[in-house]
């Protein structure tokens, strides 16, 4: 670590550096010849075991010996590159005695060396936009006029005398404002603040709640300097409503917003902005008066677009958003006007070209009088009944059109009469033709009716023959005749078989002899209930006896007692139920019986054995009784199934006998089902069915006489009926053929009369053809009548000749019209040419004006703003980053750039974050850093800086860092500071940081009443 360089760097700001302990140095920050802070520098680069004890021994005595504001201005810099980041942050957050910084040598140099870019103030892009808008006649874009008025004025104005790039420097001198001594608010100014006279110091703090006039006071300073205020630039204030003393002049200057040249000169000299009007307030708010509204919008932006717009407002000035939006709005309205004008000019140019071509190609036409005379001659030659004069062209054309329409009808394919004489002769023959046709039509109708009747008879006979043929197949086959009732018979046989099988299963195993000895059901039920009760009683006695024995003895007795029962239940067991030992089955039985008998011999009066024996006998008897009950129940169910119509049989022996006899019918039932199946298979092979049998049987009842029955043995009768029906069919076919021949002959005669060939017709067709022919004749007759009304028609005059003459007349009329049209087009072309050239003379020179205006608006709404912002950050990012790092901790960013329309920061780890990815506090600090960088570039501008509630979203620690920066760099550079806040804690911190100035620091407590501190 280079101790000499570190001390030399610190010595540029800190005076009286001296070593107070081993490699620990102390000095003071002096501003305006007053102690602003006490600084300690520990250059040991060591790890401390007990930091609290360290700072107690180093700082406590001096800290407590200097009460007041100075206690807030102790600083301890620990040059140390060995601490972990967590330990470093823990120390820096410790605010006891002093503000701590743990830095390495490079970070120490960054803290005390503020990067200064070489770039000067960039040209005011908004002012440049205004100048360019002026050049193209769009100065109203940045006014408050409506878009409609802006477009109307642009269209009416002449911009040819305006010169691009001309800058007229105002003649009025604009002195630099170094200091504001006094401010007096007159009666014409706003109600607040209540205090109207102010004497300012180097640093000025304004405290008070919202609504007491802090912003109004700051805007009074802004108005005195700029003539207008950013918030309401269009609102004019009374002359002399504010007065101020500048630069220790000793005299007050009265407010006068009308002195435009003064404010233009200031804007040009201070900020290099040349404007047609007074826009000084915009530059002032960009460089001297922190734009808290834009900074707030930048801090709370929810996305990249919002952050970008707010950033542009900070970097490019507060007017950017308004003029950018206005440019876009005017462009959207001017572009269609430009397009419309351009299209009109092109259209008028085309009109000129078309008109010139018509005029050039015009030739003197034939004499229209000669054409009129020729038309009249042709009209008269057609022998029209209505005479026409030579100039009556409309009448001639109208009559000729009527003639052409009539001739079109007469010359159609349906008319074969080319003269009136031919048509009249044909008309006379038509009456006789009608009579003949009606007679043949009647004859054809009669033949058609006969044909239909004979066809129906033939169909009936064929149906009857088919019916008799099917009946014949049945009546000659006895087996097929058994289909009658077969389905019902099969169902009954299947039902009987089901009953037999059911009964057979129920009575299986019943011994008829034992059945005869069984008791009646009531006695059996009483015995079962009695035995069940006795078994329960014996079980209770056995359980009571076992309870009286010891537990082991009781279990052994039970095992021995139940050994035989176990073997009876498990016939295959070869394992002892007590010890699970394997034995031969015979030996196992003998051992268990022997053990059981031994137990009995040892206790001949064993009560347990007596109880168990009795229990076995009772259970055996109960089983026999229950079996008898079950057999009686099965016999009753079987009897009900076999003889459901007879009810219950009380005598079970008799019932058993009848059921047994019913079951014995099983073989007979099987034979019957076999026979039914055989008949069905036979019928299926022949394609016959029971359904068809009944259909034929019913048909015989309705269609045949009673002498012929649908029974077996009637084959001869049905054969006779078949032969008779065949003879009737042959006779019907002969009559039908004769009728068809006669009908065809009559039909051919009718076709001949109608003039129809090779067409198949029905009665309806004859009438339709005749009616159609009649209608055609009627139309021709009507047309001839109209023709005779139009012209004097010679009966032998050919219609084709007449049509040719009419066509010739129309051709001459068309020629006349064409000649008229040529003359009309010529005159119209002359008129259009004159109007188009006049329009082009007036409008074509306007196109460059529109083109330049649209091009300018497109450029201003394009990428120019982004390019200017990008250039600003390229030139000043080191300076902005240094300021940002000095007023915000932790210092986690090492790079800053504007790329792809967004501002990006690079962390120490190389991670890139957009503005929307950093905290609101970091964004607030970044907005302040950008403003301080802009303010630091002023060389001729006002030597003041104004903050109206500037630190939204910033915590106390970073607020102190911001105030330290103001002291170390802004105040040290000689600037006058105006600071207003409604935050009492922030106001307290500000006072503790600047109170050391004494008389050079003033605090103003604004209230709703007239008080001042």
């Amino acid at each position: 670590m280079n101790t000499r360089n570190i001390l030399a760097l610190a010595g540029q700001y800190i005076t009286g550096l001296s070593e107070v302990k081993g490699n620990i140095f102390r000095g003071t920050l002096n501003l305006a010849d007053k102690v602003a802070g006490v600084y300690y520098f520990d250059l040991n680069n060591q790890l401390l075991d007990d930091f609290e004890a360290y700072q107690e021994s180093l700082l406590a005595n001096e800290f407590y010996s200097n009460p007041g504001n100075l206690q807030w201005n102790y600083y301890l810099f620990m040059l140390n590159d060995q601490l972990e980041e967590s330990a470093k942050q823990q120390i820096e957050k410790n605010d006891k005695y002093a503000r701590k910084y743990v830095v390495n040598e490079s970070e120490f140099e960054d803290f005390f060396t503020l990067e200064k870019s070489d770039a000067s103030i960039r040209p005011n892009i908004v002012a440049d936009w205004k100048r360019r808008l002026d050049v193209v006649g769009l100065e109203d874009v940045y006014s408050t006029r409506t878009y409609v008025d802006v477009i109307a004025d642009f269209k009416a104005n002449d911009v040819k005398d305006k010169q691009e790039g001309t800058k007229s420097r105002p003649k009025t001198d604009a002195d630099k404002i170094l200091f504001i001594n006094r401010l007096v608010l007159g009666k014409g100014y706003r109600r607040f603040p209540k205090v109207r006279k102010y004497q300012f110091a180097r640093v000025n703090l304004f405290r008070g709640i919202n609504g007491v006039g802090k912003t109004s006071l700051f805007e009074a300073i802004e108005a005195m300097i700029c003539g207008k205020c950013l918030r309401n630039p269009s609102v004019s204030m009374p002359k002399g409503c504010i007065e101020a003393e500048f630069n220790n002049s000793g005299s007050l200057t009265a407010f006068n917003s009308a002195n435009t040249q003064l404010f233009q000169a200031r804007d040009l000299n201070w900020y290099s902005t040349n404007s047609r009007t007074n826009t000084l307030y915009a530059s002032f708010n960009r460089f001297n008066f922190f734009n808290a509204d834009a900074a707030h919008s930048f801090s709370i932006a929810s996305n990249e677009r919002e952050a970008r717009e707010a950033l542009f407002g900070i970097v490019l000035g507060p007017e950017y958003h308004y003029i950018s939006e206005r440019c876009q709005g005017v462009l959207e309205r001017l572009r269609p006007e430009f397009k419309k004008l351009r299209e009109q000019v092109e259209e008028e140019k085309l009109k000129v070209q078309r008109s010139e071509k018509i005029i050039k190609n015009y030739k003197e036409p034939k004499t229209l009088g000669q054409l009129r005379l020729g038309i009249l001659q042709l009209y008269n030659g057609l022998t029209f009944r209505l005479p026409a004069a030579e100039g009556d062209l409309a009448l001639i054309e109208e009559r000729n059109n009527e003639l052409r329409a009539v001739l079109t009808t007469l010359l159609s394919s349906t008319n074969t009469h080319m003269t009136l004489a031919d048509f009249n002769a044909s008309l006379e023959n038509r009456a006789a033709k009608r009579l003949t046709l009606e007679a043949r039509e009647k004859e054809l109708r009669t033949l058609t009716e006969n044909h239909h009747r004979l066809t129906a008879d033939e169909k009936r006979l064929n149906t009857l023959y088919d019916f008799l043929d099917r009946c014949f197949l049945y009546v000659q086959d006895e087996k097929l005749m058994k289909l009658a009732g077969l389905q019902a018979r099969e169902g009954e046989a299947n039902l009987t078989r089901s009953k037999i099988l059911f009964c057979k299963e129920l009575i299986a195993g019943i011994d008829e002899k034992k059945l005869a000895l069984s008791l009646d059901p009531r006695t059996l039920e009483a015995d079962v209930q009695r035995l069940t009760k006795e078994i329960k009683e014996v079980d209770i006695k056995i359980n009571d006896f076992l309870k009286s024995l010891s537990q082991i003895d009781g279990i052994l007795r039970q095992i021995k007692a139940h050994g035989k029962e176990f073997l009876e239940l498990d016939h295959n067991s070869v394992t002892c139920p007590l010890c699970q030992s394997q034995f031969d089955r015979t030996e196992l039985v003998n051992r268990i019986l022997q053990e059981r008998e031994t137990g009995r011999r040892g206790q001949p009066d064993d009560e347990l054995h007596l109880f168990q024996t009795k229990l076995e006998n009772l259970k055996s008897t109960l089983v026999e009784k229950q079996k008898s009950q079950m057999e009686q129940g099965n016999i009753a169910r079987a009897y009900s199934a076999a003889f459901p119509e007879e009810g219950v049989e009380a005598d079970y022996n008799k019932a058993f006998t009848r059921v047994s006899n019913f079951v014995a019918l099983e073989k007979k039932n099987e034979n019957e089902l076999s026979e039914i199946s055989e008949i069905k298979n036979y019928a299926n092979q022949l394609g016959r069915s029971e359904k068809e049998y009944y259909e034929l049987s019913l048909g015989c009842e309705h269609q045949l006489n009673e002498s012929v029955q649908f029974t077996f043995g009637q084959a001869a009768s049905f054969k006779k009926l078949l032969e008779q029906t065949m003879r009737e069919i042959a006779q019907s076919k002969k009559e039908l053929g004769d009728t068809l021949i006669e009908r065809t002959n009559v039909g051919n005669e009718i076709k001949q009369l109608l003039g129809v060939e090779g067409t198949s017709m029905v009665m309806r067709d004859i009438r339709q053809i005749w009616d159609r022919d009649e209608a055609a004749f009627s139309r021709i007759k009507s047309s001839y009548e109209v023709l005779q009304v139009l012209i004097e028609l010679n009966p032998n005059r050919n219609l084709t000749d007449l049509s040719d003459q009419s066509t010739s007349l129309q051709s001459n009329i068309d020629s006349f019209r064409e000649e008229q049209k040529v003359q009309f087009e010529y005159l119209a072309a002359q008129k259009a040419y004159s109007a188009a050239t006049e329009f082009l003379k007036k409008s074509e020179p306007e196109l460059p004006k529109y083109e330049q205006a649209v091009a300018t608006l497109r450029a201003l709404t394009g990428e120019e703003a982004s390019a200017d912002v990008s250039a600003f950050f390229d030139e000043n990012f080191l300076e902005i980053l240094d300021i940002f790092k000095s007023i915000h901790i932790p210092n986690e960013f090492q790079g800053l750039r504007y790329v792809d329309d967004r501002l990006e920061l690079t962390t120490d780890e190389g991670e890139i974050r957009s503005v929307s990815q950093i905290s609101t506090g970091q964004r607030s600090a970044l907005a302040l850093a950008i403003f301080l960088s802009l303010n630091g570039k002023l060389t001729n501008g006002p030597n003041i800086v104004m903050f109206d509630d500037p630190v939204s979203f910033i915590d106390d620690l970073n607020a102190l860092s911001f105030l330290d920066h103001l002291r170390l760099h802004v105040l040290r550079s000689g600037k006058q500071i105006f600071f207003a806040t409604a935050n009492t804690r922030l106001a307290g911190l500000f006072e503790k940081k600047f109170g050391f100035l004494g008389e050079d620091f003033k605090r103003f407590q604004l209230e709703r009443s007239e008080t001042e501190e």
Side-chain angles (χ1 to χ4, degrees):
M1 184 176 297
N2 193 327
T3 302
R4 183 188 300 275
N5 288 343
I6 291 173
L7 294 176
L9 181 60
Q12 296 178 14
Y13 297 88
I14 310 303
T15 60
L17 279 172
S18 62
E19 189 172 9
V20 294
K21 283 187 178 182
N23 220 20
I24 299 177
F25 296 83
R26 178 190 179 280
T28 59
L29 172 66
N30 296 332
L31 296 173
D33 298 326
K34 298 177 178 65
V35 177
V38 178
Y39 285 72
Y40 282 84
F41 302 94
D42 185 342
L43 309 184
N44 287 301
N45 196 21
Q46 295 178 350
L47 298 176
L48 300 174
D49 296 330
D50 188 348
F51 181 76
E52 287 297 327
Y54 164 80
Q55 67 173 351
E56 284 287 338
S57 64
L58 180 65
L59 303 173
N61 289 335
E62 183 177 359
F63 179 83
Y64 289 118
S65 63
N66 287 301
N69 291 336
L70 190 61
Q71 286 188 341
W72 286 81
N73 294 284
Y74 275 83
Y75 300 87
L76 172 59
F77 284 84
M78 300 179 67
L79 275 292
N80 196 310
D81 55 11
Q82 301 184 47
L83 287 175
E84 296 289 338
E85 185 65 27
S86 58
K88 174 182 174 181
Q89 290 182 8
Q90 185 176 1
I91 292 174
E92 289 185 336
K93 288 180 180 179
N94 187 318
D95 59 357
K96 188 176 182 180
Y97 301 132
R99 177 77 183 272
K100 283 90 174 176
Y101 296 93
V102 181
V103 295
N104 56 34
E105 188 172 352
S106 174
E107 291 169 340
F108 184 84
E109 291 178 3
D110 285 344
F111 187 89
F112 283 97
T113 304
L114 187 64
E115 291 285 348
K116 297 294 289 184
S117 65
D118 295 332
S120 58
I121 296 177
R122 293 187 60 78
N124 187 330
I125 187 173
V126 174
D128 180 60
W129 284 10
K130 290 181 178 181
R131 178 184 55 77
R132 290 164 66 181
L133 290 170
D134 289 349
V135 170
V136 295
L138 289 173
E139 57 271 15
D140 287 333
V141 167
Y142 50 89
S143 70
T144 58
R145 303 193 68 192
T146 65
Y147 289 126
V148 175
D149 291 341
V150 171
I151 299 299
D153 284 356
F154 171 77
K155 293 166 72 173
N157 290 340
D158 185 4
V159 299
K160 62 184 181 181
D161 294 332
K162 297 185 178 183
Q163 297 296 320
E164 169 70 38
T166 301
K167 290 186 179 180
S168 56
R169 181 179 294 274
K171 296 179 180 179
T172 305
D173 292 332
D175 295 333
K176 181 177 180 180
I177 295 177
L178 300 175
F179 197 85
I180 304 176
N181 302 90
R182 288 183 291 158
L183 185 73
V184 179
L185 306 178
K187 293 182 179 180
Y189 195 61
R190 306 170 191 173
R191 285 181 57 202
F192 294 96
K194 289 296 186 179
V195 176
R196 311 303 280 180
K197 295 181 179 181
Y198 296 88
Q199 188 80 33
F200 297 133
R202 173 65 63 187
V203 177
N204 303 275
L205 170 64
F206 301 87
R207 303 177 56 172
I209 62 175
N210 292 328
V212 297
K214 300 188 299 297
T215 300
S216 293
L217 179 61
F218 275 37
E219 288 184 346
I221 297 173
E222 179 186 3
M224 277 302 303
I225 294 173
C226 304
K228 294 181 180 181
C229 294
L230 174 66
R231 282 203 307 165
N232 295 294
S234 60
V235 176
S236 59
M237 292 181 285
K239 182 177 180 181
C241 66
I242 311 169
E243 293 180 304
E245 178 188 347
F246 297 111
N247 302 337
N248 300 313
S249 64
S251 60
L252 291 171
T253 301
F255 171 76
N256 183 10
S257 62
N259 194 354
T260 303
Q261 282 196 335
L262 171 64
F263 303 122
Q264 287 177 297
R266 286 178 175 176
D267 206 3
L268 180 60
N269 294 337
W270 294 352
Y271 306 110
S272 301
T273 299
N274 185 25
S275 176
R276 181 176 62 89
T277 58
N278 175 19
T279 58
L280 175 60
Y281 58 89
S283 301
F284 183 75
N285 275 268
R286 183 184 179 200
F287 290 95
N288 294 92
F289 192 169
F290 179 62
N291 190 341
D293 290 340
H296 182 266
S297 298
F298 182 64
S299 300
I300 65 171
S302 59
N303 53 56
E304 294 294 338
R305 183 186 62 79
E306 291 179 3
R308 174 181 177 274
E309 292 301 311
L311 180 65
F312 278 29
I314 295 170
V315 175
L316 302 179
E319 279 192 308
Y320 162 74
H321 292 303
Y322 179 74
I323 194 169
S324 176
E325 180 183 343
R326 293 278 292 181
C327 284
Q328 185 64 43
V330 173
L331 176 61
E332 290 173 358
R333 290 159 177 81
L334 186 61
R335 188 161 42 199
E337 294 287 339
F338 175 42
K339 180 182 178 183
K340 179 181 177 182
L341 178 62
R342 186 171 54 196
E343 290 174 351
Q344 286 179 333
V345 168
E346 293 301 321
E347 184 179 349
E348 295 302 317
K349 285 182 177 180
L350 290 175
K351 286 182 181 179
V352 169
Q353 294 176 4
R354 289 195 294 267
S355 299
E356 287 178 339
K357 185 176 181 181
I358 292 172
I359 294 170
K360 180 180 179 181
N361 294 334
Y362 178 72
K363 295 180 181 179
E364 190 70 26
K366 296 180 182 179
T367 304
L368 295 178
Q370 293 177 354
L371 289 172
R372 288 196 191 94
L373 181 60
I375 290 170
L376 183 60
Q377 290 174 350
L378 288 170
Y379 179 80
N380 292 331
L382 286 167
T383 64
F384 281 96
R385 292 185 182 276
L386 184 65
E390 181 179 336
D392 202 353
L393 189 65
L395 176 63
I396 293 173
E397 187 171 21
E398 181 183 352
R399 286 291 176 265
N400 190 51
N401 287 336
E402 292 175 0
L403 176 61
R404 288 164 63 82
V406 174
L407 290 174
T408 299
T409 302
L410 291 173
L411 291 172
S412 65
S413 58
T414 57
N415 182 25
T416 58
H417 312 96
M418 290 296 102
T419 66
L420 179 60
D422 289 343
F423 178 73
N424 289 334
S426 178
L427 202 59
E428 291 175 1
N429 296 329
R430 192 163 184 80
K433 185 176 180 181
R434 183 185 299 111
L435 292 174
T436 303
L437 181 64
E438 288 175 353
R440 292 292 179 270
E441 186 180 8
K442 183 178 180 181
E443 186 178 354
L444 181 62
R445 186 176 295 107
T446 301
L447 289 169
T448 301
E449 290 173 356
N450 290 338
H451 181 270
H452 290 162
R453 178 180 55 78
L454 291 170
T455 301
D457 284 346
E458 184 181 22
K459 182 177 181 181
R460 179 184 58 78
L461 289 170
N462 283 327
T463 303
L464 177 60
Y465 183 86
D466 178 67
F467 173 75
L468 292 172
D469 187 52
R470 287 190 294 149
C471 289
F472 181 72
L473 290 173
Y474 278 85
V475 296
Q476 68 175 348
D477 192 331
E478 184 178 9
K479 204 168 189 178
L480 285 178
M481 295 303 287
K482 290 182 179 180
L483 286 170
L486 188 66
Q487 187 174 359
R489 182 182 166 194
E490 183 182 24
E492 186 176 350
N494 281 324
L495 178 60
T496 300
R497 177 168 179 77
S498 299
K499 290 180 179 179
I500 290 172
L501 294 175
F502 178 71
C503 293
K504 184 178 180 180
E505 183 179 358
L506 287 174
I507 66 174
I510 296 177
D511 188 341
E512 188 174 2
K513 293 179 180 180
K514 288 184 179 180
L515 181 64
L517 299 176
S518 63
L519 301 173
D520 64 90
R522 292 183 180 179
T523 304
L524 273 175
E525 180 60 27
D527 288 348
V528 168
Q529 291 180 359
R530 177 180 56 77
L531 290 168
T532 302
K533 182 178 179 182
E534 290 180 5
I535 290 170
K536 289 182 179 178
E537 291 173 351
V538 173
D539 272 336
I540 292 171
K541 290 179 179 180
I542 291 173
N543 289 332
D544 291 342
F545 177 79
L546 290 173
K547 289 179 181 178
S548 66
L549 300 174
S550 66
Q551 186 175 7
I552 296 176
D553 189 30
I555 292 172
L556 290 174
R557 287 175 181 272
Q558 286 186 16
I559 292 173
K560 292 177 180 180
H562 293 292
K564 183 180 178 183
E565 294 180 14
F566 169 76
L567 292 176
E568 289 175 351
L569 292 173
D570 189 355
H571 300 288
N572 299 318
S573 177
V574 292
T575 305
C576 176
L578 179 62
C579 64
Q580 298 296 312
S581 299
Q582 298 286 334
F583 295 96
D584 178 72
R585 171 72 181 182
T586 303
E587 183 183 357
L588 179 63
V589 171
N590 293 333
R591 280 175 176 266
I592 289 177
L593 292 176
Q594 182 181 2
E595 185 66 28
R596 184 180 182 189
E597 291 301 321
T598 302
R600 287 180 181 177
R601 288 195 297 273
Q603 296 180 358
D605 57 344
D606 188 353
E607 190 176 355
L608 177 62
H609 173 66
L610 293 176
F611 286 147
Q612 288 177 337
T613 302
K614 184 177 180 180
L615 182 62
E616 290 174 6
N617 293 334
L618 288 172
K619 287 183 177 179
S620 176
T621 304
L622 178 62
V623 169
E624 289 297 326
K625 298 290 184 181
Q626 288 176 334
K627 181 179 180 183
S628 295
Q629 275 188 322
M630 183 187 71
E631 289 177 346
Q632 287 181 357
N634 288 347
I635 291 170
R637 289 198 299 277
Y639 188 85
S640 297
F643 311 105
E645 69 282 353
E646 296 185 11
V648 179
E649 173 60 60
D651 188 343
Y652 284 96
N653 291 297
K654 184 178 178 180
F656 179 76
T657 302
R658 290 196 65 187
V659 171
S660 298
N661 294 336
F662 177 73
V663 171
L665 297 175
E666 182 178 7
K667 184 63 178 178
K668 182 180 178 181
N669 175 258
E670 289 178 354
N671 293 335
E672 184 178 8
L673 285 172
S674 178
E675 181 186 358
I676 291 170
S677 177
E678 183 182 354
I679 293 170
K680 286 176 65 177
N681 291 335
Y682 177 75
N684 287 336
Q685 289 175 2
L686 296 177
R688 304 301 160 191
S689 65
E690 185 179 357
K691 179 181 178 182
E692 184 184 40
Y693 170 87
Y694 281 114
E695 288 176 354
L696 294 175
S697 177
L698 185 63
C700 287
E701 291 179 10
H702 290 87
Q703 296 185 43
L704 305 181
N705 54 45
E706 295 180 356
S707 60
V708 180
Q709 299 294 324
F710 186 63
T711 57
F712 179 71
Q714 290 288 320
S717 298
F718 276 93
K719 185 175 182 181
K720 185 177 179 180
L721 287 174
L722 280 169
E723 292 173 351
Q724 180 184 342
T725 303
M726 180 58 73
R727 289 194 295 272
E728 290 178 3
I729 290 173
Q731 179 62 30
S732 178
K733 284 185 177 180
K734 181 178 181 304
E735 292 178 4
L736 187 61
D738 294 342
T739 302
L740 184 60
I741 293 171
E742 190 174 357
R743 183 171 176 268
T744 302
N745 293 334
V746 173
N748 290 334
E749 289 183 33
I750 291 174
K751 289 180 184 179
Q752 220 171 11
L753 287 170
L754 294 175
V756 178
E757 296 181 1
T759 303
S760 176
M761 292 191 305
V762 294
M763 294 299 298
R764 185 176 61 255
D765 295 336
I766 296 171
R767 179 53 54 189
Q768 288 178 350
I769 293 172
W770 174 259
D771 290 344
R772 189 166 58 246
D773 195 35
E774 190 74 14
F777 260 80
S778 178
R779 286 195 300 273
I780 294 170
K781 181 181 179 182
S782 299
S783 297
Y784 268 116
E785 289 172 353
V786 172
L787 186 61
Q788 287 177 302
V789 171
L790 281 173
I791 65 174
E792 297 177 2
L793 182 61
N794 187 320
N796 295 315
R797 190 172 186 179
N798 191 283
L799 294 178
T800 303
D801 295 339
L802 195 60
S803 177
D804 291 342
Q805 292 175 5
S806 176
T807 302
S808 179
L809 173 59
Q810 186 59 47
S811 177
N812 277 268
I813 292 173
D814 291 341
S815 297
F816 181 83
R817 297 285 192 211
E818 185 64 29
E819 294 297 337
Q820 272 190 325
K821 180 182 176 183
V822 170
Q823 286 192 358
F824 175 78
E825 287 181 347
Y826 173 72
L827 296 175
Q830 286 184 319
K831 185 176 179 181
Y833 179 83
S834 177
T837 52
E838 184 65 24
F839 176 83
L840 291 173
K841 182 179 179 181
K842 177 182 177 182
S843 301
E844 192 170 15
E846 291 287 297
L847 278 179
K849 166 186 167 182
Y850 278 82
E851 188 172 4
Q852 291 172 11
V854 170
T856 298
L857 290 171
R858 280 177 176 165
L860 299 187
T861 55
E863 300 299 323
E864 287 195 11
S866 293
D868 200 75
V869 171
S870 179
F872 169 78
F873 281 103
D874 287 345
E875 296 167 358
N876 302 284
F877 83 93
L878 288 176
E879 180 181 351
I880 294 171
L881 189 61
D882 262 9
I883 298 173
F884 175 64
K885 289 165 72 173
S886 72
I887 65 177
H888 188 276
I889 60 170
N891 296 326
E892 57 181 306
F893 298 107
Q894 64 175 1
L896 178 71
R897 65 174 185 169
Y898 185 83
V899 62
D900 294 334
D901 274 344
R902 72 173 193 167
L903 188 61
E904 295 179 343
L905 295 94
T906 306
T907 66
D908 293 335
E909 292 77 20
E911 179 187 356
I912 295 177
R913 295 184 191 171
S914 64
V915 169
S916 62
Q917 294 174 313
I918 64 175
S919 69
T920 53
Q922 288 172 323
R923 280 186 256 176
S924 294
L926 185 57
L928 283 167
I930 294 171
F931 170 75
L932 292 170
S933 172
L934 287 167
N935 179 261
K937 296 187 179 305
L938 287 178
T939 55
N940 296 320
N943 202 37
I944 64 174
V945 60
M946 300 172 66
F947 298 96
D948 187 2
D949 268 328
V951 288
S952 302
F953 310 112
I954 294 180
D955 57 29
D956 288 351
L957 190 61
N958 284 307
L960 287 171
S961 297
F962 168 61
L963 297 178
D964 281 340
H965 181 87
L966 288 183
R967 294 196 324 165
L968 190 61
H969 297 288
V970 179
L971 180 63
R972 195 163 180 267
S973 66
K975 284 186 169 57
Q976 187 179 17
I977 298 175
F978 293 85
F979 194 95
T981 182
N983 187 322
T984 55
R985 181 166 179 78
L986 178 61
L989 295 175
F990 189 93
E991 188 170 353
K992 288 177 173 59
K993 287 295 180 182
F994 289 93
F996 74 91
L997 289 170
E999 294 180 355
D1000 284 336
F1001 171 75
K1002 292 201 72 174
R1003 183 186 70 168
F1004 300 89
Q1005 181 68 41
L1006 302 186
E1007 306 285 352
R1008 302 293 287 186
S1009 58
E1010 297 183 11
T1011 60
E1012 178 186 355
E1013 293 186 36

